[in-house]
Amino acid sequence: MPRPSWNEYFIGIAEMVASRSTCLRRHVGAILVKDKRILATGYNGAPAGLKHCEEIGCLREDASVPSGMRHELCRGLHAEQNAIIQAACYGIPIGGSTLYCTNKPCIICSKMIINAGIGNVFYKEGYDDPLADKMLAEAGIQIVRFPP
């Protein structure tokens, strides 16, 4: 078995992180990396100490909210948000880091990525969000689908 590239390695770890997700619709994992070192991880799910959707059901399913719309109508945080929050809780500077995520960031996560100073985003799959793409480009953040 050939040795994975760094991008393959970190995307693979993000996939493992996604396995902790408690979302009923989509399992997403994210990791923040700088100088080939993992700084923080996150997966999508309810805030710490609250009941998870797998226990009480999905607000978005119950309200027939389409994927990629009305992100605020959800009990859960996105994986990217949880990785950024985890770094903040432990005082880990993430400016200039790279985000590896199993899904393409939404507009809300994209704005957090910009303000956190994250420099690059590698993602595996996801839905198109033209506003997120536009804002990330305007901020000079490279976003790459991996594998291309």
Side-chain angles (χ1 to χ4, degrees):
M1 178 176 200
R3 186 175 187 203
S5 70
W6 284 109
N7 289 333
E8 290 168 333
Y9 175 71
F10 290 127
I11 284 285
I13 292 171
E15 289 174 326
M16 178 58 75
V17 172
S19 71
R20 292 280 307 152
S21 171
T22 58
C23 179
L24 297 174
R25 290 179 128 190
R26 182 185 308 241
H27 289 207
V28 181
I31 64 171
L32 291 167
V33 175
K34 189 169 187 178
D35 299 327
K36 299 179 184 157
R37 302 291 179 256
I38 297 170
L39 304 176
T41 67
Y43 54 87
N44 58 327
L50 301 185
K51 290 185 179 180
H52 294 283
C53 299
E54 62 185 12
E55 298 173 80
I56 62 170
C58 176
L59 293 173
R60 295 175 62 78
E61 284 292 326
D62 295 344
S64 299
V65 178
S67 179
M69 308 290 282
R70 302 292 312 269
H71 297 287
E72 76 279 7
L73 297 177
C74 182
R75 289 182 61 83
L77 291 139
H78 290 186
E80 304 95 318
Q81 294 167 348
N82 273 327
I84 291 168
I85 291 166
Q86 183 186 81
C89 285
Y90 290 97
I92 301 168
I94 58 173
S97 67
T98 297
L99 174 75
Y100 289 87
C101 194
T102 59
N103 280 76
K104 189 176 183 184
C106 71
I107 183 60
I108 295 169
C109 291
S110 294
K111 290 186 279 188
M112 292 178 71
I113 289 164
I114 292 165
N115 272 6
I118 295 167
N120 302 293
V121 175
F122 286 85
Y123 71 97
K124 191 167 181 183
E125 55 191 41
Y127 50 83
D128 284 329
D129 189 331
L131 182 56
D133 293 342
K134 182 178 179 182
M135 291 184 80
L136 289 166
E138 184 179 342
I141 297 172
Q142 179 187 22
I143 183 162
V144 177
R145 184 170 187 163
F146 187 84

